[in-house]
Amino acid sequence: MQKSTNLPLRISYLLLLFLISCTTNKVVKGYQPTNLEKTSFEVPYFSNPDIDYVYKANITVYGKELTGIFIAKKINETTHRVAFTTEFGNKLLDFEISETDFKVNSIVDELNKKILINTLKSDFRLLLRSHYVTKAQFENQQNKIYLSKQGKMLNYLFVFKSDNSLNKIIHASKRKEKITLFFASENNIFASRIVIKHKGIPLKIELNYFKEDGAKEQSTEAPVNEEPTNEEPTN
């Protein structure tokens, strides 16, 4: 009878050990495995359909810099519409994106490159995703990490213990990190500043949220922690 009672706990523990052993990218180095508190995690940052999320954007790729305005809006339960314009309002790209679908409404010829479109699709899909099914949990004194599987890939959600706000997502294979998103949030409702960095390609996207100050809009530049999680992963 006692063996039967302990069997589910042993299975869960073995599953956790298996997940940890697969995580050779060392994302969770310095963190301890702990009991899973929740089976899903909801991200609030782009979830309100009544809000146009407007950011001043700076994109650096291969030493070149592109500045403009990034706009995201939730248009139904599963889909966001994303636009990137110049500071004068000229539209550079217009996408509709969900976890399963992707549609290019328009894009200027200079940006109409397959590799760039696929990269932005991955970045925006990760940025705008609101629901993660969690499989394992780790923690240290400051953070909890929720591990979520995405096909053959893994997502690590770093959450401050102090206010339960999401401050970082690492998108990785079983061997190494691919994309890291850093967040600075206000009241755990929206992200005032976002930084997206890639491993392997020199691409960095910085988003600073526009706040309305009377008739004038001002961008916030709240700091985000861009320190590496731990050692550089090895192949």
Side-chain angles (χ1 to χ4, degrees):
M1 193 73 178
Q2 186 175 358
K3 289 182 180 179
S4 175
T5 303
N6 291 335
L7 184 59
L9 292 175
R10 290 177 182 176
I11 293 173
S12 297
Y13 182 70
L14 290 173
L15 176 61
L16 190 57
L17 287 178
F18 174 75
L19 289 168
I20 295 170
S21 67
C22 289
T23 314
T24 55
N25 55 26
K26 302 179 182 177
V27 171
V28 297
K29 183 179 179 180
Y31 288 78
Q32 297 298 317
T34 186
N35 293 331
L36 185 61
E37 295 177 344
K38 56 177 73 178
T39 57
S40 65
F41 186 88
E42 305 297 326
V43 181
Y45 297 148
F46 293 91
S47 62
N48 191 335
D50 297 325
I51 295 177
D52 292 342
Y53 296 93
V54 183
Y55 291 80
K56 183 175 181 181
N58 184 284
I59 300 175
T60 306
V61 56
Y62 293 104
K64 296 183 179 180
E65 214 170 285
L66 180 66
T67 60
I69 306 298
F70 172 86
I71 306 164
K73 185 174 181 64
K74 188 173 184 178
I75 58 176
N76 59 45
E77 285 300 315
T78 62
T79 306
H80 286 79
R81 188 164 183 176
V82 171
F84 185 68
T85 73
T86 68
E87 293 184 351
F88 297 103
N90 298 318
K91 188 180 291 185
L92 300 176
L93 61 83
D94 182 345
F95 297 157
E96 290 180 27
I97 188 166
S98 71
E99 291 187 24
T100 56
D101 297 313
F102 179 74
K103 177 183 177 184
V104 178
N105 292 322
S106 66
I107 188 168
V108 296
D109 290 340
E110 293 82 357
L111 300 178
N112 194 11
K113 314 294 183 185
K114 186 176 180 179
I115 187 170
L116 178 60
I117 292 173
N118 287 336
T119 299
L120 293 176
K121 176 172 69 173
S122 298
D123 288 353
F124 294 159
R125 184 166 280 161
L126 192 60
L127 174 67
L128 300 170
R129 186 174 178 179
S130 61
H131 179 79
Y132 289 85
V133 176
T134 56
K135 298 295 185 181
Q137 183 175 332
F138 311 85
E139 65 178 33
N140 65 8
Q141 289 185 339
Q142 290 80 33
N143 283 289
K144 302 174 186 177
I145 300 177
Y146 295 105
L147 173 61
S148 177
K149 293 190 69 176
Q150 182 180 334
K152 295 182 179 180
M153 303 298 288
L154 303 170
N155 293 317
Y156 299 86
L157 285 69
F158 289 70
V159 177
F160 284 132
K161 285 184 174 180
S162 57
D163 60 3
N164 207 39
S165 65
L166 178 69
N167 63 79
K168 180 163 59 177
I169 298 174
I170 293 180
H171 181 69
S173 68
K174 290 180 180 179
R175 295 188 60 82
K176 56 186 176 180
E177 300 173 26
K178 299 291 186 179
I179 310 169
T180 304
L181 284 72
F182 303 90
F183 301 92
S185 67
E186 293 189 12
N187 302 321
N188 197 19
I189 297 174
F190 67 87
S192 56
R193 179 169 161 79
I194 301 164
V195 177
I196 304 172
K197 298 178 75 172
H198 283 253
K199 297 279 187 179
I201 60 173
L203 172 61
K204 181 178 180 180
I205 301 173
E206 298 179 63
L207 305 174
N208 289 293
Y209 190 77
F210 269 110
K211 279 187 174 180
E212 291 191 1
D213 183 12
K216 183 180 179 181
E217 286 188 333
Q218 297 180 339
S219 65
T220 63
E221 295 194 2
V224 294
N225 180 14
E226 293 184 45
E227 292 300 318
T229 308
N230 40 49
E231 299 174 1
E232 189 72 11
T234 56
N235 292 324

